[in-house]
Amino acid sequence: MAPTPETPGTPSSSPTPTLTLKPGTSWQDAWQRSLAAAPEAFHDDQVRNLWAGAWHPDGDPLPAISPVDGTPIAGPPRLDAEAARHAVRASLDQHRAWRHVPLPERKARISATLDALTEHRELLALLLVWEIGKPWKLAQADVDRAIDGVRWYVSDIDRMLVGRSPLPGPVSNIASWNYPMSVLVHAMLVQALAGNAVIAKTPTDGGLSCLTLACALAAREGIPTTLVSGNGSELSASLIRSPEIGCVSFVGGRDTGARVATAVADLGKRHILEQEGLNTWGIWHHTDWDALTPLLRKTFDYAKQRCTAYPRFVVQRDAFADFLAAYLPAVRAIRFGHPLAVAAPDDPLPTLDYGPLINAAKAKELADLTTEAISRGAVPLHRGDLAAGHFLPSQDTSAYLPPTTLLAPPPSSPLHHAEPFGPVDTIVLVDTEAELLAAMNASNGALVATLSTDDPETYSRLAPQIRAFKIGHGKPRSRGDREELFGGFGNSWRGAFVGGDLLVRAVTEGPPTERLPGNFPDYHLMP
């Protein structure tokens, strides 16, 4: 049947094309490519643990599904406490040998690892899409930031290590699932470059296969790497409290971070604990609204599932109408959905702001918190529609949450004081500078903050009173790369700050009287 012609002057009534999975991007495609790339690490339908310089088919695999559409994927092979103790002891043996490997050879091996990661860049990114739901461009960027960042350290490491030596034991890394490459793998390779053996626990919620492939490529080049999976409470005695461990590096939430902080403080152990905080964006005597809209849309990248996301806007009441006129077009333009769905096989992968949340439970939790906040008085300014998402026909969408914006969440709601870690914004209106600062400091410390104000003097006066490690003037701040430092104020950070030279200083020993910049039990020292 011929299509019905459109009536002149009216919108097209053509049906939306049915989406299909881009050929060559299925989970099975990614898994088969992983088997071919690193058969020592992937076997049949299971992933192996890496310790004592070898891949072990031990552990009890946990069933797992992709947040993208519920597809079954490889689950973490969980070690028990006894096996973890053996892995840590073996890592200490590797550490004692590696610390004496000359720096030029360490640089050569790390560079070879980076070349291998570059060769497998697209596979690593595809694994990130399936395992943690990153849209294609953001997944590629995660891989690229890891590679480019470590290359910078390779070129600058000689000067960073003058007068410094490796730690007495390996570095134990316990990180969240959201940035397996640009945070975790990046840190591990720099730690190894500095002369340490490295241990990593696979995040339970995602990133297993991507991390396994990256570690397999590193292990082939002789990098002393250990990668294990397991229940955090069962492995903590080995990965945190073991006397063999020289440093604990943690990235995650405040509740778990507080327990880790207590453990390392009791032991006097070197530590780097990056924890969440409610990052805020203040609007005060601001008029450049045209420049704000595109910045606001970017804050929804990866569904705000990152430690430097901005979920709270603190807005001068007199400017609220103008702010809303800039904000609503940004949030209404957000595109979310299946990262690998296309209208035609030859189409490029979609450009999305975000895909799913890490799992269906998190999506339901945030949806319930939103409903509860509204029932207690919050005003819904925007509630996106799941039907507007970019989805395959009849796919599982339980891990997806449309963008949502609430005005004035009540103090009784967790959305009032805690980071949602999802696409839910909250707006608080203020009338005075004192109220502005109090609202921006609601979580007793944050990683980043931004203040939009036309007057440079006002920014210079207020910014030092905002308790965030990095503060932007009208622009968002990020974790940063290469020489840029990173840390947190208050409860958002414990231990040594990182980034640039500080990352190397945090995992090496200097003069006996050295005081590292950071938040420690007995002192706080800014760089």
Side-chain angles (χ1 to χ4, degrees):
M1 179 181 296
T4 303
E6 297 177 14
T7 303
T10 63
S12 170
S13 59
S14 299
T16 302
T18 300
L19 301 179
T20 60
L21 192 67
K22 174 84 171 176
T25 67
S26 72
W27 168 254
Q28 280 304 315
D29 291 322
W31 182 253
Q32 291 301 318
R33 290 171 62 185
S34 299
L35 286 171
E40 69 273 30
F42 301 90
H43 182 71
D44 293 336
D45 61 346
Q46 293 186 6
V47 176
R48 292 174 170 174
N49 291 295
L50 171 61
W51 55 276
W55 292 93
H56 299 266
D58 47 17
D60 181 21
L62 187 70
I65 61 172
S66 169
V68 170
D69 58 10
T71 294
I73 61 175
R78 298 168 297 173
L79 285 183
D80 58 25
E82 181 62 25
R85 283 192 289 271
H86 288 301
V88 170
R89 294 189 190 110
S91 182
L92 177 62
D93 292 338
Q94 290 180 309
H95 179 84
R96 288 170 172 166
W98 178 253
R99 62 178 293 150
H100 297 296
V101 173
L103 181 56
E105 183 176 343
R106 297 204 304 265
K107 290 168 63 176
R109 293 189 186 187
I110 294 292
S111 294
T113 300
L114 297 175
D115 291 342
L117 292 173
T118 302
E119 179 184 350
H120 294 281
R121 170 181 180 263
E122 291 201 354
L123 175 55
L124 290 163
L126 183 58
L127 291 170
L128 288 181
V129 173
W130 279 109
E131 293 189 296
I132 62 175
K134 283 200 171 185
W136 179 241
K137 286 188 176 180
L138 293 180
Q140 290 177 303
D142 193 19
V143 177
D144 291 343
R145 284 182 62 194
I147 296 169
D148 295 344
V150 179
R151 286 199 192 279
W152 179 82
Y153 278 95
V154 172
S155 66
D156 279 39
I157 192 65
D158 293 80
R159 66 168 180 80
M160 296 181 189
L161 288 179
V162 173
R164 308 195 68 81
S165 60
L167 297 173
V171 182
S172 177
N173 295 270
I174 302 170
S176 58
W177 44 264
N178 52 344
Y179 284 90
M181 293 295 299
S182 62
V183 173
L184 182 51
V185 170
H186 175 279
M188 293 168 66
L189 293 179
V190 175
Q191 293 160 7
L193 182 63
N196 304 289
V198 293
I199 303 170
K201 177 187 174 297
T202 304
T204 303
D205 286 328
L208 166 69
S209 295
C210 178
L211 282 172
T212 299
L213 177 57
C215 287
L217 300 176
R220 287 178 182 177
E221 303 301 335
I223 309 301
T225 305
T226 296
L227 181 66
V228 295
S229 299
N231 182 281
S233 60
E234 189 169 3
L235 301 191
S236 63
S238 297
L239 301 184
I240 297 172
R241 292 184 170 274
S242 287
E244 294 92 341
I245 299 297
C247 176
V248 175
S249 178
F250 169 86
V251 179
R254 289 193 176 185
D255 291 343
T256 303
R259 292 192 291 271
V260 175
T262 299
V264 295
D266 291 345
L267 299 170
K269 195 182 293 291
R270 182 76 64 89
H271 56 284
I272 306 162
L273 309 182
E274 175 186 330
Q275 300 168 114
E276 64 189 17
L278 185 61
N279 306 317
T280 58
W281 191 314
I283 307 290
W284 190 256
H285 294 306
H286 175 79
T287 59
D288 190 5
W289 304 109
D290 290 341
L292 189 62
T293 297
L295 298 176
L296 293 173
R297 179 173 178 178
K298 287 290 291 180
T299 67
F300 277 88
D301 278 358
Y302 193 33
K304 297 183 183 272
Q305 295 179 110
R306 48 196 173 90
C307 64
T308 55
Y310 286 83
R312 166 66 52 80
F313 292 89
V314 181
V315 182
Q316 185 176 14
R317 191 181 305 274
D318 289 347
F320 180 53
D322 292 328
F323 171 79
L324 211 56
Y327 177 89
L328 289 177
V331 73
R332 287 168 178 161
I334 288 169
R335 296 189 70 217
F336 66 95
H338 195 304
L340 304 173
V342 294
D346 293 335
D347 285 353
L349 290 171
T351 300
L352 302 173
D353 295 288
Y354 66 86
L357 274 64
I358 187 58
N359 52 48
K362 180 62 179 179
K364 183 179 185 304
E365 171 195 325
L366 278 183
D368 290 346
L369 285 176
T370 298
T371 300
E372 180 183 45
I374 293 171
S375 72
R376 295 181 182 182
V379 179
L381 296 179
H382 177 80
R383 302 188 80 173
D385 187 351
L386 199 62
H390 181 85
F391 297 125
L392 299 173
S394 303
Q395 78 159 78
D396 182 345
T397 59
S398 59
Y400 292 81
L401 186 71
T404 302
T405 308
L406 302 181
L407 174 66
S412 60
S413 169
L415 294 176
H416 179 80
H417 54 79
E419 181 182 19
F421 226 65
V424 177
D425 275 349
T426 55
I427 299 174
V428 174
L429 302 184
V430 295
D431 297 296
T432 66
E433 289 185 358
E435 290 178 320
L436 173 81
L437 293 170
M440 292 190 72
N441 293 328
S443 68
N444 186 27
L447 303 176
V448 297
T450 290
L451 179 61
S452 290
T453 181
D454 295 344
D455 181 22
E457 188 280 329
T458 298
Y459 175 82
S460 298
R461 178 167 49 82
L462 296 179
Q465 302 177 67
I466 299 171
R467 288 181 56 77
F469 188 82
K470 291 183 180 182
I471 303 172
H473 187 181
K475 296 181 179 179
R477 297 303 307 271
S478 68
R479 202 175 195 275
D481 295 300
R482 300 178 176 87
E483 68 273 7
E484 194 168 355
L485 308 182
F486 192 56
F489 273 91
N491 292 334
S492 67
W493 198 280
R494 307 280 185 179
F497 295 146
V498 295
D501 291 22
L502 292 189
L503 175 53
V504 173
R505 289 174 64 184
V507 295
T508 55
E509 294 189 316
T513 58
E514 179 179 53
R515 282 160 56 94
L516 295 174
N519 290 336
F520 292 94
D522 54 345
Y523 74 89
H524 171 86
L525 179 63
M526 289 298 292

